Amino acid sequence: MHAGSRGAYGAPRIHAALRRAGRMVNAKRVERLMRVHHITGITRRRRRSLTRQARRAAFAADLIGRDFTAPRPGMRLVGDTTELVTLEGKLYLATCIDLRTREIVGWAMADHHRAELPVAAASCTRTAAASTPVTNSAPR
């Protein structure tokens, strides 16, 4: 079964396959036999985070103080970046959300995850909204 899966199956999947085939075998026995014969399954790669912190990162102050309310529209904005996997590759979407109306007031898409992306989303809000001072807070 291990060879039939091109070496991908580990002890839990082999145990489940044996049970489906009608073989009554204990999971610990499968684990022990695989360990004795040095049989291992393929482990998935660890997911890498989008955020790469600098060695001496200077974190921005929490300007909104974890208070996600706003007295009027356009006064407080929060941002987020999302990675979208498509058939053509990865695409990154940065959004700015108004805390009063909970609407997306600015967005930008690109094939990279650099600082220009959220800046472009924030500048999109500046052109659409009035020229009032804006507090922008994005998670680290």
Side-chain angles (χ1 to χ4, degrees):
M1 287 189 188
H2 182 73
S5 69
R6 294 180 296 177
Y9 279 14
R13 283 188 174 176
I14 290 179
H15 176 254
L18 288 170
R19 296 288 290 229
R20 279 193 303 272
R23 294 290 213 51
M24 299 305 287
V25 64
N26 192 337
K28 291 181 182 180
R29 180 177 175 88
V30 173
E31 290 174 12
R32 187 179 69 249
L33 289 173
M34 288 182 70
R35 191 171 42 252
V36 166
H37 294 288
H38 304 289
I39 300 172
T40 58
I42 296 174
T43 57
R44 295 191 177 173
R45 291 187 189 116
R46 190 180 67 143
R47 288 187 61 161
R48 291 186 359 208
S49 173
L50 291 176
T51 305
R52 303 277 192 281
Q53 291 187 0
R55 292 181 189 256
R56 294 183 185 159
F59 297 112
D62 185 5
L63 299 176
I64 62 173
R66 309 299 294 173
D67 178 21
F68 295 104
T69 60
R72 64 180 190 270
M75 185 155 184
R76 286 187 175 173
L77 302 175
V78 293
D80 192 21
T81 304
T82 304
E83 177 185 76
L84 305 169
V85 180
T86 65
L87 293 175
E88 295 180 3
K90 291 183 180 178
L91 193 64
Y92 299 94
L93 170 68
T95 58
C96 284
I97 302 169
D98 188 339
L99 284 179
R100 177 64 181 181
T101 61
R102 306 288 187 203
E103 294 177 349
I104 295 176
V105 293
W107 59 273
M109 293 176 79
D111 60 349
H112 60 81
H113 186 253
R114 293 189 295 266
E116 302 96 49
L117 187 60
V119 170
S123 66
C124 181
T125 63
R126 288 289 184 143
T127 57
S131 61
T132 57
V134 175
T135 301
N136 190 357
S137 176
R140 290 186 226 179

